[in-house]
Amino acid sequence: MSRYNFKEIEEFSQERWKKAKIYKTPENPEKKFYLLEMFAYPSGDMHIGHTRNYVIGDTVWRYKKMQGYDLLHPFGWDAFGLPAEQAAIKRGESPKKWTYGNIATSRNTLKRLQISYDWDREIITAEPEYYRWNQWLFLKLFEKGLVYRKKSFVNWCDSCKTVLANEQVIGGECWRCGTSVRKKEMEQWFIRITAYAERLLNDIDKLEGWPENVKIMQRNWIGRSEGAEIDFYTEDGYKLPVFTTRPDTLFGVTFISIAPEHPYARGIDKEEVKKYIDNALMMSEIERQSEEREKTGVPTGKFAIHPFTGEKIEIWVADYVLASYGTGIVMGVPAHDQRDFEFAKKYNIPIKVVIMPPDQGLSPDTMEMAYEGHGMMVNSAQFNGLDSELGKKKVIEALEKVGKGRGKVTYRLRDWLISRQRYWGTPIPVVHCEKCGIVPVPEEQLPVLLPPEEEVNFIPTGRSPLEDARDFYHTKCPKCGGPAHRDADTMDTFVDSSWYHLRYFDPHNDKEIFSKEEARKWHPIDLYIGGVEHATGHLIYFRFMTKFLYDLGYLDSDEPALALFNQGMVMDEKGEVMSKSKENVVSPIGLIERVGVDATRIAILFAAPPERDLLWSEKGVKGAERFLSRIYNHFMPYIDKKNPEPDKKDPLYRGIEKTKKIVTEDLEHMRFNTGIAALMEMLNQITAYPSRDSETYVYVIQEFTKILAPFAPHLAEFLYAKFGEKQSIFLEAWPSYHEDAVKEEIVTVVVQVNGKVRARLEIERNTSEEEVIKSALSHENVKRHIDGKEIRKTIYIKNKILNIVAR
Ligand code: ANZ
Ligand code: ZN
């Protein structure tokens, strides 16, 4: 007899799929399903962690396909970005060649793995046919006032020599290289994502199929705060607005503190203040906000006037105040804000109690920490006696009346900094003219092509390399025709990935970003699969851009994805992250050459639930190989019977019907590991079955093959063909199961009360303990014997006896 030969099987099955063109996206979907895995950054060949992601997606695809869905399942490459330039600097390679070489390698791996992508819809963001639409979006945003240029303090990485978006600063460090991020003042482009803050926040409620943790992260990231903006004026008439969530504490203000970046602070002509500011700017925001670090500040010698009392209040510069939040100015209320309390204690600033807690007194002389709770307003003139919650409203009303303040909602979300001083990205479609200033490039002149790499120097200097490319940089103003130069910055690659999911609808359209008609067929994504590390970056940006395109009328709903699935990571046997430097990386190509695609898939899917981290082990691979070759050995000789009639009373028949039910439910909930476990158990029943010539046996192995198909597609397709089926197994309908057969058999459970038999219950096998106790307690005779007593304990022996101890 022949043996399981995965190479032969792979060739055979892949040929069948190719002929049937099963991965082609249907033109006119009736039952659409848009399945998407996050596209890949092409940094060398992919490792087993990526493979896991795509195998999960492919398993869903094959299951949905057999359920009769019309699927869109595309793939693409997030091809711009810094690593390509770094490779260029390190090894003298061309960023373009490096990127496209990596794409070719990874694409080949995906094809070897037979991931069910429709390659006709592949996109590469570094192609002008793609990035011209980044530029088009930029122009549209510009038109709507949603993109602007501003000189401000930005996150700067000294090692990458580029600015970073807030989302790219992780714990105070550069997300790419881990260098501590500092502030640098530069003129940069921003997308006004904050204009969408409210919608981005409210619509989180629509994301029913998203994991709760991602939704919480997004809510916190957007960070809505309700309060007031209150205008303090300096003695010399300069307005200093503060943002506070506690306007009810206004009478407790004993100082004002300003962020070191603030223009007012920087305008103060005092040696001490200047020195303090220089030092503070060297620190990251995270360091500055750290709870442990002692808050520091410096008095400016200037005073502001309290809007109600007219008191003089000293102005300080303090590093715990962030320039990028609220107004960058804080009213200091030491009695009711812990940071202000510590600050006041350190610098001997007076403390004034204005909120009295409900159940205790409070005195500035004895308090050891701020009282941040609510209570009754005191020392607050006309507001005395008010509850602090109501007081908030009353204070705001009073401020509004005199024009010195207003109710205000503030978000933690910052505008999205999108310009980068790097080469390998989308050129910003703007011309700077001496006469006309900033002039957007007219739409019909798009794309603004990235100049050839021979003309630029990648070594980061902090200045944009595109300035080197003379023919690119020097140009004529589109408005006046006079001498002008192009903007030399390129776009953050998160712009590319903020809308790529929409380009797949119509990837080769050269008239429009995509046609509305194609979008209507497929939008939105039904299941999006990718890493949780994108929770507050990409997953916010792509929600924003989808909303923007909805507002432009290109889409008929404004959320990109109905459901999101975060897969876990793949670690080595010891639980360590795989990395080239640790030499513990498992290459998918090596593996599929050694054990085949199906065994690789089974090993990945069986090792852990897909949302959990997975410890990669050779044992798992061996188990998968054994599983598949057992199937082959036990199925192959019995394949040539058609339409077998199973014996419905046979336990083997009942077994396969139950397995179909379990596997269907598991696939429905993406519990691939338990689905495979059910298949393995069923296989044990099959291999122990004596009468191989029976129609029941043939029926069972044929049904088994169908539910094996999403997990081990090659072997399933091969066996299916051997059953004599002409068309692909993936065009076959997903099997239903026979309801009667999956019902559990009835067992008798004896119920004892204090050791004496009081009832016999006829119930389904494997009924839960809770259910058994419930039905025992409702049994008349049992009720009579425990009447008036208290149940102390119940002991249940599954499917047999329930003991009740009652006293
Ligand atoms: C006065 C006050 C009194 C405050 C009090 C709190 C308690 P959230 O909830 O995070 O929005 N704040 C405002 N802008 C700031 C900035 N740029 N950097 C650091 N802190 C800032 O926090 C709002 C509170 O944080 C504001 O309310 C302000 O302090 C402070 F009893 O104002 B509060
Ligand atoms: Zn001009």
Side-chain angles (χ1 to χ4, degrees), residues 1-5 8 629 632-633 636 718:
M1 197 181 79
S2 66
R3 306 192 56 206
Y4 172 62
N5 178 341
E8 200 179 291
S629 66
Y632 181 89
N633 293 341
M636 269 301 275
F718 178 84

Side-chain angles (χ1 to χ4, degrees), residues 177-241:
C177 71
T179 303
S180 197
V181 170
R182 68 183 179 90
K183 293 279 165 181
K184 190 172 171 184
E185 192 172 34
M186 289 176 78
E187 185 123 13
Q188 297 291 322
W189 288 101
F190 293 85
I191 290 180
R192 207 183 297 281
I193 191 171
T194 51
Y196 281 65
E198 188 83 46
R199 278 166 76 187
L200 287 168
L201 183 70
N202 291 341
D203 291 351
I204 291 174
D205 295 339
K206 290 194 209 163
L207 308 177
E208 276 175 31
W210 284 42
E212 214 43 53
N213 62 327
V214 173
K215 294 200 267 187
I216 291 169
M217 281 190 263
Q218 291 214 344
R219 280 196 192 99
N220 292 339
W221 186 261
I222 297 166
R224 183 180 197 273
S225 276
E226 222 175 286
E229 197 175 86
I230 303 177
D231 302 334
F232 285 75
Y233 285 87
T234 64
E235 287 178 305
D236 39 10
Y238 195 95
K239 183 165 107 181
L240 296 178

Side-chain angles (χ1 to χ4, degrees), residues 225 243-246 249 289 320-331 333 336-337 339-340:
S225 276
F243 172 71
T244 177
T245 46
R246 295 293 302 271
T249 64
Q289 276 224 308
Y320 73 90
V321 182
L322 300 181
S324 56
Y325 187 70
T327 60
I329 310 173
V330 173
M331 63 181 211
V333 185
H336 304 293
D337 182 289
R339 285 168 306 179
D340 296 346

